[in-house]
Amino acid sequence: MEKYLSQLNDAQLAPTIQIDGPMIVIAGAGSGKTRVLTFRIAYMMSKGIDPFNILALTFTNKAAREMKERIASIVGASEAKNLWMGTFHSVFAKILRIEADRLGYPSNFTIYDTQDSDRLIRDIIKEMNLDKDIYKYKQVRSRISSYKNSLITVRAYFQNPELIEADTMARRPKMGEIYKAYVERCFKAGAMDFDDLLLKTNELLTRFPEVLAKYQNRFKYILVDEYQDTNHSQYLIVRALSDKFQNICVVGDDAQSIYAFRGANINNILNFQKDYLDVKVFRLEQNYRSTKNIVNAANSVIDKNQTKLDKVVWTANDDGGKIVVHRSLTDADEGRYVASTIFDNKMNHQLQNSDFAILYRTNAQSRSIEDALRKRDIPYRIYGGLSFYQRKEIKDVLSYLRLIINPKDEEALKRVINFPPRGIGQTTVDRLMVAANGYNRSIFEVMKNIDKTDVKVNSGTKRKLLDFVTLIESFQVMNQTADVFELAEYVTKTSGLIREFNKDGTPEGVTRMENIEELLNGMKDFVEGQREIADATGSLAEFLEDVALSTDMDNDKDDGNKVALMTIHLAKGLEFPYVYIVGLEEDLFPSAMSMNTRSELEEERRLFYVALTRAEKQAYLTYALSRYRWGKLVDSEPSRFIEEIDEEYLEIETPIEERRINPMLSADIFGDVMPDQPRRTDANNVRFKPAKRPKFQKGTTKKAAEKYQAPTPKNLKPVGKSNAETGSANLFDNNIAVGNTVKHNRFGTGEIIKIEGTGPDTKAEIKFQVGVKKLLLRFAKLEVVG
Ligand SMILES: Nc1ncnc2c1ncn2[C@@H]1O[C@H](COP(=O)(O)OP(=O)(O)OP(=O)(O)O)[C@@H](O)[C@H]1O
Ligand SMILES: [Mg+2]
């Protein structure tokens, strides 16, 4: 252990060996907070503390896994196995399963993801005959979520005139009724949503003192990473559990609190010292992650926030390169700049793809970047967005599996009762739902006892309903002996899902089949992995738990050597040698929706601070003068955050004037391929190095853009549809001809043998090695290669 402790500086060592009592480590980015937590746990174990008594809460499962691996490498794997470590949701889901019956839930309760919640809310709004334009399901869901995270139950809601009035003022007087129906339906379906995992844990700990005592005694030592982003519900859980022994260690950085929109409360960190007696406060000041330029630049920005704890962050690392600021004409241009500099950097500095991350404010921004990376053949991976497990075909399979474990699961049932089609119509399903509500039973129970109910269905339909029940029950029998892989393979065949997806011969159908195959592969892996873990069996229940709580961050099996693309929110806690922060424009970042109050703007600034401090060696900040947003080309101004960085840390690289006088370049701003000119793969690469670098003009870029006469949408209009309008970056109609060789990212290289239609409907028949395909040019991602 001594060997490891010597890898910490003195400031880090102090909190690492301080085991008893409440303590907080407040420190800036990259100063080793996570490292301290990791080493501290190893140290505690080396001092004889039983890992069963240690609970460590992290922000992602991935972080937990990494921490566990690190600890295992210090103290040995068999000991580390017994630690309770994970996200709030995963740890408390486990506890809730053990204690479920106290709350009236089955221990095999389903965990509804946001898609399930949305569907249920939509159904409720429909059943209540409410106007879906006023009762927008996403807004309704986020309202319900915020009640839950503030521990406002349905009963508390109806006792709170202020809440009722607020919803009435927002033209949603029925909000309470929806909330009530939603909660009842989840309960009846034996389902908890994500917020319930915290809400019900709180309920458990307050209603049952013996349960509280049990877990207080169990978790004698509690540690929390990223404490600044805990919400009220999480805060109360930590408080309750640590109340007896008060051995609580939290680490965090108020300057990195970025989840207020999801209920995180920065006051949790600010008030920690008031919540416990004799809190020891530790500060770390030395950053080990980043160069001087990056650390100083980040400090100069976060300084602009009024609400903050005073902190010093410095580094002994090299100065490093200045932060490169790059101005592009359009978003497509920006994408190409990013791709080409990644390409250059890889060549010049012998780097891997995985040394690069591209961070953006909103998921939608990834498209233009992706297009450019594809053209350069740079492998990338997008984190976030629709996760693998939320894809349609995967959810279909999972819904069958969920029904095996919990046949009451209403959302799963509604999804597959008639998929693949088996002649059970929507009217029948509606009747079943009404009956289920009337009898206060689940739909599945109503179906099973259809003969004893007064549901009006003809004998043919009755047969089909009972067949479905038998099908699921036969799966349940198999589940008693089979592992999840064997079971799922059987289910996909027997249910007809494979046949259904196979039937459809389109590329989308092929992709769906591939995804199902991938799911099965993943299950095989899972089963093998589980075999190594004591008392795990590779069962379906274990698998579903894993899936329900996985975030996209966690599925990094095929991570390989790829450039990482993600939103800044997802990047928290991570680090990369080269970081690009793209789309640094007013109204985009800071987001237009977050500029109404100072506190919202300060949260955006913290987000920028998080982004910048992910970089180890080099950061790039890019913005475009115009960008397609909501299908329209809009002019934009550079983000105020660029201006807020002290200029001495920046290298401004914005040669737009030079670009304007170069007709080749301005013709290329849409990133389309022009077969009549040799493709200048280095076009976006051309780094104009004017004798005198154009100075970044503070606050005047709008004017600069006018002076430069930013091309109006009209004279920029391409012959065909533009990238943003078509949803893909590539060919305009006039650029492609019979005989051209083109490249498609899935089918490979092929030859155009026929073109038909015009404008957005233009289709091409292309002979690929896998056969002739007819593709709509608007969507096909083609590149002319010859
Ligand atoms: N004493 C040290 N010696 C060498 N490297 C260190 C030391 N402390 C931390 N590091 C390294 O510095 C980097 C940042 O550490 P860590 O991720 O723990 O910081 P953090 O404070 O948790 O950052 P964030 O606020 O972004 O979560 C890591 O690569 C870590 O291994
Ligand atoms: Mg950290």
Side-chain angles (χ1 to χ4, degrees):
M1 194 65 221
E2 290 306 312
K3 180 174 114 220
Y4 293 100
L5 294 183
S6 69
Q7 296 171 18
L8 298 170
N9 68 29
D10 289 348
Q12 292 171 332
L13 187 63
T16 304
I17 57 175
Q18 165 71 43
I19 297 179
D20 294 315
M23 55 173 280
I24 182 167
V25 180
I26 306 172
S31 56
K33 294 181 295 297
T34 304
R35 191 178 173 106
V36 164
L37 271 196
T38 312
F39 281 53
R40 188 172 184 270
I41 294 170
Y43 179 76
M44 286 160 71
M45 289 168 66
S46 79
K47 288 283 163 199
I49 292 177
D50 191 337
F52 275 108
N53 291 137
I54 302 176
L55 167 65
L57 297 163
T58 57
F59 199 72
T60 58
N61 293 315
K62 182 171 185 249
R65 214 163 40 229
E66 283 172 7
M67 216 183 248
K68 216 171 203 174
E69 276 162 19
R70 189 74 217 269
I71 295 168
S73 75
I74 304 177
V75 299
S78 59
E79 281 298 292
K81 222 182 237 176
N82 296 328
L83 287 162
W84 279 71
M85 199 176 266
T87 61
F88 275 87
H89 290 96
S90 69
V91 166
F92 295 111
K94 255 192 223 138
I95 292 179
L96 283 169
R97 289 208 190 281
I98 301 170
E99 312 292 341
D101 62 339
R102 293 178 194 267
L103 299 171
Y105 279 86
S107 66
N108 59 8
F109 62 82
T110 304
I111 299 171
Y112 274 178
D113 65 15
T114 35
Q115 249 183 42
D116 298 318
S117 299
D118 282 349
R119 279 175 164 236
L120 178 53
I121 289 169
R122 255 185 313 202
D123 276 358
I124 291 171
I125 291 169
K126 198 169 110 198
E127 287 163 24
M128 290 171 70
N129 284 322
L130 298 170
D131 184 342
K132 66 177 189 317
D133 293 329
I134 295 175
Y135 290 89
K136 293 203 167 80
Y137 67 90
K138 284 208 161 114
Q139 284 174 3
V140 171
R141 195 228 308 136
S142 99
R143 264 324 261 168
I144 292 179
S145 172
S146 74
Y147 302 149
K148 287 189 174 181
N149 282 320
S150 318
L151 305 195
I152 299 165
T153 58
V154 172
R155 171 133 40 108
Y157 177 91
F158 283 110
Q159 287 167 354
N160 188 329
E162 276 171 37
L163 280 178
I164 298 174
E165 193 183 324
D167 281 326
T168 311
M169 293 289 280
R171 296 204 299 151
R172 287 194 284 259
K174 295 280 182 210
M175 205 40 237
E177 310 288 331
I178 301 177
Y179 184 23
K180 180 162 180 276
Y182 175 77
V183 166
E184 283 171 1
R185 289 277 274 276
C186 286
F187 185 72
K188 206 168 63 163
M192 293 198 198
D193 66 14
F194 288 140
D195 302 320
D196 283 335
L197 297 176
L198 305 175
L199 179 73
K200 298 289 170 192
T201 301
N202 267 304
E203 188 184 332
L204 187 70
L205 300 180
T206 31
R207 270 181 55 200
F208 303 96
E210 69 279 17
V211 177
L212 175 63
K214 172 173 158 191
Y215 290 101
Q216 281 179 336
N217 290 329
R218 164 136 216 184
F219 301 131
K220 289 198 175 70
Y221 298 88
I222 300 177
L223 302 93
V224 188
D225 197 3
E226 309 273 5
Y227 188 70
Q228 76 278 358
D229 277 323
T230 47
N231 64 27
H232 187 59
S233 200
Q234 292 166 325
Y235 163 81
L236 290 176
I237 294 171
V238 171
R239 270 222 66 175
L241 288 177
S242 61
D243 203 39
K244 181 166 177 197
F245 291 101
Q246 306 242 333
N247 293 323
I248 164 104
C249 163
V250 305
V251 312
D253 179 3
D254 58 301
Q256 294 185 68
S257 164
I258 53 174
Y259 277 95
F261 73 100
R262 260 186 6 201
N265 190 346
I266 196 170
N267 291 320
N268 293 346
I269 198 165
L270 302 177
N271 292 336
F272 187 83
Q273 293 175 61
K274 293 186 202 140
D275 291 338
Y276 297 87
L277 272 179
D278 295 328
V279 174
K280 293 211 168 54
V281 181
F282 296 89
R283 293 179 193 275
L284 310 175
E285 299 185 343
Q286 182 172 359
N287 172 303
Y288 286 89
R289 178 180 293 147
S290 315
T291 63
K292 281 201 180 67
N293 274 317
I294 293 167
V295 168
N296 293 340
N299 285 344
S300 70
V301 175
I302 203 65
D303 231 25
K304 311 284 185 296
N305 268 8
Q306 288 180 358
T307 318
K308 61 177 191 297
L309 298 171
D310 278 331
K311 254 187 296 141
V312 182
V313 186
W314 60 275
T315 185
N317 294 343
D318 292 346
D319 283 351
K322 291 195 173 180
I323 294 170
V324 177
V325 177
H326 184 86
R327 165 165 55 187
S328 305
L329 290 180
T330 66
D331 47 349
D333 205 22
E334 178 185 55
R336 281 178 303 128
Y337 171 79
V338 171
S340 71
T341 51
I342 288 182
F343 191 87
D344 285 357
N345 279 323
K346 265 171 62 180
M347 292 297 154
N348 298 340
H349 306 287
Q350 271 90 49
L351 298 169
Q352 306 280 316
N353 294 317
S354 52
D355 288 330
F356 297 88
I358 304 168
L359 309 180
Y360 33 78
R361 177 70 181 83
T362 62
N363 275 310
Q365 287 167 257
S366 73
R367 192 198 44 80
S368 53
I369 308 284
E370 284 181 70
D371 289 341
L373 291 173
R374 266 200 304 271
K375 281 194 180 157
R376 285 275 178 163
D377 280 331
I378 299 174
Y380 62 89
R381 155 132 204 242
I382 300 198
Y383 293 80
L386 200 59
S387 96
F388 179 75
Y389 295 112
Q390 286 176 338
R391 293 185 190 159
K392 184 204 174 302
E393 61 279 12
I394 301 301
K395 274 220 93 163
D396 291 336
V397 178
L398 293 178
S399 293
Y400 276 100
L401 300 178
R402 274 163 52 171
L403 278 180
I404 297 175
I405 297 283
N406 174 16
K408 288 187 194 166
D409 183 337
E410 189 178 316
E411 294 313 302
L413 184 110
K414 284 192 298 200
R415 217 180 153 104
V416 295
I417 185 168
N418 198 36
F419 190 82
R422 48 175 71 87
I424 303 175
Q426 190 56 44
T427 323
T428 307
V429 177
D430 287 345
R431 281 186 191 146
L432 291 170
M433 252 150 63
V434 171
N437 283 339
Y439 291 111
N440 201 16
R441 288 296 166 92
S442 68
I443 299 179
F444 194 81
E445 286 168 302
V446 171
M447 285 166 69
K448 198 172 165 174
N449 298 293
I450 192 81
D451 280 328
K452 297 184 212 138
T453 69
D454 56 9
V455 183
K456 276 211 292 200
V457 284
N458 64 34
S459 59
T461 309
K462 210 174 260 183
R463 186 72 264 142
K464 287 169 193 157
L465 294 177
L466 289 172
D467 282 350
F468 183 76
V469 170
T470 312
L471 182 74
I472 300 296
E473 286 179 341
S474 72
F475 295 157
Q476 286 175 328
V477 172
M478 181 166 181
N479 184 37
Q480 289 166 6
T481 50
D483 66 39
V484 60
F485 170 74
E486 296 159 344
L487 184 66
E489 205 181 27
Y490 180 76
V491 166
T492 47
K493 279 192 197 127
T494 322
S495 64
L497 276 179
I498 294 276
R499 207 176 325 117
E500 186 66 24
F501 288 127
N502 251 334
K503 219 164 61 187
D504 150 3
T506 63
E508 289 71 32
V510 174
T511 310
R512 296 217 149 116
M513 284 301 297
E514 285 166 1
N515 285 339
I516 292 185
E517 210 176 300
E518 189 54 39
L519 176 70
L520 292 173
N521 290 341
M523 288 172 163
K524 189 128 214 187
D525 259 13
F526 177 81
V527 171
E528 270 151 30
Q530 289 294 92
R531 294 224 160 102
E532 292 166 16
I533 300 177
D535 51 79
T537 55
S539 71
L540 173 59
E542 287 163 3
F543 180 79
L544 288 182
E545 178 94 356
D546 214 51
V547 168
L549 296 169
S550 76
T551 61
D552 194 48
M553 223 41 215
D554 303 324
N555 311 314
D556 55 357
K557 283 197 202 89
D558 67 345
D559 224 14
N561 179 17
K562 293 180 182 161
V563 173
L565 270 68
M566 66 185 89
T567 62
I568 301 163
H569 280 100
L570 270 189
K572 197 165 62 131
L574 308 180
E575 54 193 18
F576 304 89
Y578 282 65
V579 169
Y580 290 78
I581 309 172
V582 300
L584 273 164
E585 293 141 33
E586 286 291 294
D587 286 350
L588 184 56
F589 191 17
S591 151
M593 283 177 301
S594 309
M595 287 196 283
N596 297 324
T597 61
R598 170 172 289 278
S599 73
E600 282 174 355
L601 182 63
E602 295 205 343
E603 173 139 331
E604 291 286 300
R605 193 176 283 115
R606 292 193 293 269
L607 197 55
F608 182 66
Y609 176 79
V610 169
L612 195 51
T613 53
R614 299 308 97 201
E616 297 169 4
K617 296 199 158 46
Q618 181 68 54
Y620 288 82
L621 311 179
T622 68
Y623 65 96
L625 288 179
S626 57
R627 165 181 308 272
Y628 272 99
R629 296 185 73 187
W630 316 286
K632 275 210 233 78
L633 193 66
V634 295
D635 286 346
S636 34
E637 278 183 78
S639 167
R640 67 189 73 191
F641 298 145
I642 300 180
E643 298 175 25
E644 288 175 3
I645 299 177
D646 278 351
E647 248 176 280
E648 58 176 306
Y649 309 119
L650 299 179
E651 174 182 328
I652 316 283
E653 190 196 67
T654 48
I656 59 160
E657 289 81 2
E658 287 85 345
R659 283 180 172 246
R660 185 162 58 104
I661 54 169
N662 183 334
M664 292 266 287
L665 280 175
S666 46
D668 201 36
I669 55 174
F670 274 93
D672 50 331
V673 181
M674 298 187 297
D676 52 338
Q677 291 170 7
R679 177 94 183 115
R680 287 158 293 99
T681 44
D682 58 346
N684 33 359
N685 231 348
V686 180
R687 297 256 301 261
F688 294 94
K689 295 258 183 217
K692 233 178 92 198
R693 226 171 257 299
K695 210 75 184 118
F696 183 73
Q697 295 177 324
K698 291 205 163 197
T700 56
T701 321
K702 182 86 186 235
K703 283 194 211 98
E706 280 161 13
K707 200 170 88 213
Y708 147 72
Q709 288 186 331
T712 63
K714 203 163 94 233
N715 62 25
L716 272 183
K717 198 118 187 104
V719 185
K721 286 222 159 189
S722 73
N723 310 345
E725 287 169 294
T726 58
S728 83
N730 39 54
L731 295 175
F732 299 136
D733 314 342
N734 60 339
N735 286 332
I736 190 167
V738 171
N740 276 159
T741 307
V742 292
K743 202 165 133 197
H744 183 272
N745 62 356
R746 213 168 50 243
F747 302 129
T749 314
E751 189 193 331
I752 308 268
I753 49 180
K754 191 172 163 194
I755 292 181
E756 58 186 56
T758 50
D761 295 326
T762 314
K763 298 183 195 86
E765 262 182 48
I766 307 170
K767 195 167 157 195
F768 292 105
Q769 210 145 43
V770 292
V772 175
K773 308 263 171 203
K774 193 186 258 186
L775 303 175
L776 206 53
L777 288 190
R778 191 148 59 99
F779 294 122
K781 296 184 167 69
L782 294 178
E783 184 186 349
V784 173
V785 292

